[in-house]
Amino acid sequence: MQKQGKTLADFFATNAGQHAALAKQFLEGALTLDAAQQQKGKILFVPTLALAGHGLELLLKASILLNGGAAPTKGRAGHSVADLWAQELCEPVRGHVYAHANLVVQEDRENPLYIGIPGENEDILALIEEYVVALGKLHGEGGYPLRYPSASDKEGPRTPLLVKSLWGTADDLVKRPTDFLLRRFRGQC
């Protein structure tokens, strides 16, 4: 990031940069656990979703902060992934998640280890949106079923597509934070 004399190190010294770096760490953990599910099974499903949910929350807050907004930090609003996801300042995150979802589906269709890959006629953007909303409900709504025992009947989203899409977005953010500036994302500067 060399715009206006700023470096990537300068970015990581900011609140947005610290949120982005931590998001990448949580999503790296989620990616690792997701891959380990092939050997260990469903015992890693909830921890994978917990890391992905927190990583997504931090990713969205990083985008809000990077774009000059104030990220909520208290109460349910601070954990409401669905509300954060819908914010205008998070448009660049949504765009990157959608782009990565398309890439992940193309790659995973060629990998015989994955089942349930969306078909060629499926709307991948609607599917990843559904997965994000489902993760948000598990991450920050009633009873926090990803953190505490609960009688929740909510189902979690399939993790490979979701986790890889979020991880790719976090990787983009830590490497090219200016791509997440709303005006730049919209081609206005």
Side-chain angles (χ1 to χ4, degrees), residues 31 34 96-111 114 117-118 124 128 131 158-169:
L31 188 68
D34 189 57
H96 281 258
V97 169
Y98 295 151
H100 281 285
N102 278 309
L103 290 172
V104 167
V105 166
Q106 289 174 14
E107 290 172 6
D108 285 355
R109 282 183 184 147
E110 298 172 13
N111 187 339
Y114 294 113
I117 304 300
I124 296 164
I128 197 70
Y131 286 3
R158 296 182 65 87
T159 56
L161 173 59
L162 176 63
V163 170
K164 289 186 214 175
S165 300
L166 295 176
W167 180 89
T169 301

Side-chain angles (χ1 to χ4, degrees), residues 126-174:
L127 186 62
I128 197 70
E129 181 86 20
E130 175 188 320
Y131 286 3
V132 166
V133 169
L135 178 61
K137 287 179 180 175
L138 291 170
H139 175 71
E141 290 186 8
Y144 298 104
L146 294 179
R147 293 190 236 172
Y148 304 107
S150 73
S152 175
D153 61 348
K154 295 177 184 172
E155 289 189 30
R158 296 182 65 87
T159 56
L161 173 59
L162 176 63
V163 170
K164 289 186 214 175
S165 300
L166 295 176
W167 180 89
T169 301
D171 194 54
D172 289 348
L173 179 56
V174 298

Side-chain angles (χ1 to χ4, degrees), residues 22-177:
L22 193 53
K24 175 71 187 297
Q25 292 171 35
F26 273 94
L27 290 164
E28 190 73 41
L31 188 68
T32 301
L33 287 181
D34 189 57
Q37 282 187 66
Q38 292 185 24
Q39 281 80 35
K40 297 289 185 178
K42 288 291 185 181
I43 195 164
L44 296 176
F45 185 65
V46 172
T48 301
L49 287 175
L51 289 173
H54 198 62
L56 176 56
E57 177 187 326
L58 290 164
L59 188 62
L60 294 166
K61 288 178 178 181
S63 185
I64 292 167
L65 294 165
L66 180 65
N67 285 290
T73 58
K74 301 212 188 282
R76 289 202 189 275
H79 300 292
S80 179
V81 168
D83 290 344
L84 295 170
W85 177 260
Q87 286 195 25
E88 180 181 25
L89 296 178
C90 292
E91 182 182 329
V93 171
R94 291 190 302 273
H96 281 258
V97 169
Y98 295 151
H100 281 285
N102 278 309
L103 290 172
V104 167
V105 166
Q106 289 174 14
E107 290 172 6
D108 285 355
R109 282 183 184 147
E110 298 172 13
N111 187 339
L113 294 176
Y114 294 113
I115 58 170
I117 304 300
E120 290 187 30
N121 295 325
E122 268 189 85
D123 185 353
I124 296 164
L125 300 186
L127 186 62
I128 197 70
E129 181 86 20
E130 175 188 320
Y131 286 3
V132 166
V133 169
L135 178 61
K137 287 179 180 175
L138 291 170
H139 175 71
E141 290 186 8
Y144 298 104
L146 294 179
R147 293 190 236 172
Y148 304 107
S150 73
S152 175
D153 61 348
K154 295 177 184 172
E155 289 189 30
R158 296 182 65 87
T159 56
L161 173 59
L162 176 63
V163 170
K164 289 186 214 175
S165 300
L166 295 176
W167 180 89
T169 301
D171 194 54
D172 289 348
L173 179 56
V174 298
K175 291 178 179 172
R176 295 178 305 283

